[in-house]
Amino acid sequence: MAWITAVFRLVGFVALGAIVGWYFGDAQLGALLTAFAVLVFWSLQVWRLQEWLQDSTQAPPDLHGIWGEIIARIYKSQRDANAHQERLQSTVDYLLGSFAAMRDGVVIVEDSGRLRWCNDAAQGLLGLRYPDDTGQPVSNIVRVPEFAEYLGAGEFSEPLVFETAGTFTLHLQLVVTRFAEGDTLLFVRDISDRVRIEQMRREFVGNVSHELRTPLTVITGYLDTFLADPGNMPAPYVTALKQMAGQADRMENLLKDLLWLSRIESTERAEKEEQVDIAALLDELQDEVTYMYPDNPLQLEISCRDKIQGDYQELYSAASNLVLNAFKYSPDHTPIVASWEQSGTEFRLAVQDRGVGIDPSHFSRLTERFYRVDDSRSSQTGGTGLGLAIVKHVAAAHGGHLEINSKLGEGSTFTLVFPADI
Ligand code: ADP
């Protein structure tokens, strides 16, 4: 142990001093002078140690005894700490380097909402300047109200899609992840191409459907004329014309649904926001369905008279798709019930049948366009395969969603769920 050696040395020196003092006639003075000399030597060592500690970038001084040992230990732990810091720094540099090279924008925002770091892509996409904007509130720099609202709300389970302001509008998708203590990592992706292609697809479907309607109207017009007076025609012609008329009807329904779907999907559709009385809407639907199925009236269970904000026509088409499906996929004369109620923070428009039901394995795909559980059954019922896609879009356009509950052979319940605060 270094300190034991140091103590022994001190005692040895003092004893030696005492002996020399004794030789000259005063052992005490000899011991005292030696102890003082040792103290001066130690003070010198401490002073050199302190000098070095104040600027430890220099090589350590060459100290003796226990002081040499102390300085060696400090120097070693300092070197270890430096090596550790260098390793950490190179990891941080590596991570920042990989973030910097990303095509997506990456932004680190402090708990206070101020910019800490961002890569080049984020500068281009969001108009941030790094390092000039460091410490500035990010929402003040990105002047898009939805962006500020989204960050302020602190609810990041769903990504935000927004448009940038300025000459060249970009469609951006923002994903936010929290890390450390309240800091956030923003990932920003340019999805303008995706949005444009999606819009082109919608417009294409809408335009084609629209263009096909005119020739179809001419065809059905002639078919109606021929079939109005079938007496003069050979029987095989009449059968063929009837089949043509049936298929023309199907095609007309399909085009109608396609046009309706592209209207609902279109972001530019005129927002027709009104207070929609769902109870009255169901009454009107009941009248329409009674006309189609006089033997099996639609049963209504209305437990609230609340209205919701939205588009009457769209909500009517969603409810009527659900009700007509219930009739199509149920044996004759089984009860079909449409209900309207408030449950907690939700309004629920449910259509329940005791028909053929659906196996749960189909649930996730039911609202896809043209998805059918059973092709043969659907073509018998004359469905277009677009009904539930329309329902889903109407629900989403009204801030709600569609819930599906069904058991094969027992029946189904389709429920449109809307938040009660809309
Ligand atoms: P379709 O025009 O074929 O009815 P939908 O999109 O309305 O298209 O429905 C998709 C599929 O979901 C249907 O083909 C049918 O198999 C199934 N389906 C919809 N509603 C019901 C229901 N009430 N009961 C049983 N199956 C249903």
Side-chain angles (χ1 to χ4, degrees):
M1 293 275 194
W3 69 272
I4 297 180
T5 320
V7 170
F8 273 122
R9 265 198 201 143
L10 176 65
V11 172
F13 276 129
V14 173
L16 200 67
I19 293 169
V20 174
W22 170 74
Y23 181 73
F24 287 105
D26 192 339
Q28 249 184 1
L29 185 66
L32 208 66
L33 282 176
T34 318
F36 181 69
V38 171
L39 202 66
V40 170
F41 176 72
W42 277 16
S43 303
L44 193 71
Q45 305 282 308
V46 172
W47 174 73
R48 291 179 69 195
L49 175 63
Q50 194 207 358
E51 284 289 292
W52 176 72
L53 282 176
Q54 276 174 4
D55 178 17
S56 51
T57 51
Q58 306 292 327
D62 192 12
L63 302 185
H64 298 285
I66 190 168
W67 306 105
E69 187 127 338
I70 289 172
I71 209 163
R73 286 200 183 176
I74 294 176
Y75 188 52
K76 181 173 179 310
S77 60
Q78 214 173 43
R79 268 196 337 226
D80 289 350
N82 285 347
H84 186 62
Q85 196 175 355
E86 266 167 32
R87 276 200 305 276
L88 271 179
Q89 188 58 47
S90 76
T91 312
V92 170
D93 288 348
Y94 179 76
L95 282 175
L96 287 182
S98 56
F99 277 165
M102 278 172 76
R103 286 177 55 198
D104 291 345
V106 182
V107 185
I108 298 178
V109 181
E110 289 173 1
D111 190 17
S112 56
R114 291 168 194 278
L115 175 70
R116 180 151 191 180
W117 179 88
C118 69
N119 67 355
D120 287 350
Q123 298 189 50
L125 294 173
L126 295 174
L128 301 171
R129 287 168 307 142
Y130 180 79
D132 298 9
D133 289 337
T134 313
Q136 299 291 324
V138 177
S139 323
N140 285 2
I141 312 170
V142 184
R143 296 192 159 274
V144 177
E146 301 103 283
F147 180 86
E149 264 168 42
Y150 183 76
L151 286 191
E155 163 45 38
F156 305 131
S157 53
E158 291 292 322
L160 170 76
V161 175
F162 65 99
E163 287 179 30
T164 56
T167 333
F168 299 105
T169 305
L170 293 177
H171 292 265
L172 301 181
Q173 185 185 52
L174 173 70
V175 176
V176 180
T177 312
R178 282 187 207 285
F179 73 104
E181 282 175 18
D183 291 0
T184 41
L185 197 57
L186 317 189
F187 287 96
V188 189
R189 173 168 292 182
D190 182 359
I191 55 162
S192 307
D193 282 349
R194 208 170 84 194
V195 171
R196 211 180 50 246
I197 290 168
E198 181 62 18
Q199 194 169 340
M200 274 164 57
R201 182 195 62 75
R202 274 201 306 266
E203 279 171 13
F204 175 76
V205 173
N207 290 342
V208 168
S209 314
H210 188 74
E211 291 302 318
L212 284 176
R213 281 189 97 177
T214 315
L216 191 63
T217 312
V218 175
I219 293 170
T220 45
Y222 277 118
L223 285 172
D224 287 348
T225 315
F226 291 142
L227 287 170
D229 184 16
N232 302 330
M233 255 184 286
Y237 280 21
V238 177
T239 317
L241 285 173
K242 279 187 176 159
Q243 276 179 7
M244 285 164 74
Q247 292 304 323
D249 274 353
R250 257 188 92 185
M251 208 160 149
E252 206 171 330
N253 283 337
L254 189 62
L255 292 180
K256 208 173 72 216
D257 277 1
L258 275 173
L259 271 171
W260 188 230
L261 191 56
S262 77
R263 192 209 116 152
I264 295 166
E265 279 183 323
S266 159
T267 44
E268 282 129 42
R269 76 198 167 95
E271 296 283 346
K272 205 171 131 213
E273 297 288 288
E274 53 192 313
Q275 288 295 317
V276 181
D277 184 346
I278 300 289
L281 180 151
L282 289 178
D283 274 341
E284 187 184 335
L285 186 57
Q286 187 185 42
D287 291 346
E288 187 191 325
V289 173
T290 309
Y291 180 73
M292 296 166 75
Y293 300 92
D295 301 339
N296 187 17
L298 170 69
Q299 298 175 21
L300 296 187
E301 284 177 7
I302 312 283
S303 66
C304 85
R305 302 294 311 182
D306 287 84
K307 299 175 178 175
I308 62 168
Q309 192 160 348
D311 183 313
Y312 186 89
Q313 253 187 309
E314 287 183 7
L315 289 165
Y316 188 90
S317 93
S320 104
N321 268 306
L322 294 181
V323 168
L324 293 180
N325 273 354
F327 277 94
K328 277 192 299 190
Y329 300 109
S330 302
D332 292 344
H333 306 301
T334 53
I336 290 168
V337 183
S339 60
W340 176 235
E341 57 162 13
Q342 180 169 9
S343 163
T345 55
E346 294 172 346
F347 286 123
R348 299 175 70 85
L349 195 173
V351 178
Q352 188 184 13
D353 65 59
R354 294 201 205 138
V356 294
I358 308 160
D359 187 86
S361 61
H362 297 283
F363 286 2
S364 60
R365 301 200 56 196
L366 275 185
T367 54
E368 284 174 20
R369 294 173 183 82
F370 301 114
Y371 185 80
R372 280 152 168 172
V373 173
D374 175 349
D375 255 344
S376 58
R377 194 209 293 162
S378 294
S379 50
Q380 274 167 26
T381 59
T384 61
L386 292 171
L388 291 181
I390 291 175
V391 176
K392 181 181 142 184
H393 276 93
V394 171
H398 289 79
H401 63 272
L402 175 67
E403 270 179 23
I404 304 172
N405 266 303
S406 188
K407 232 178 184 178
L408 201 57
E410 291 186 17
S412 317
T413 304
F414 287 80
T415 312
L416 281 164
V417 183
F418 304 102
D421 58 346
I422 58 172

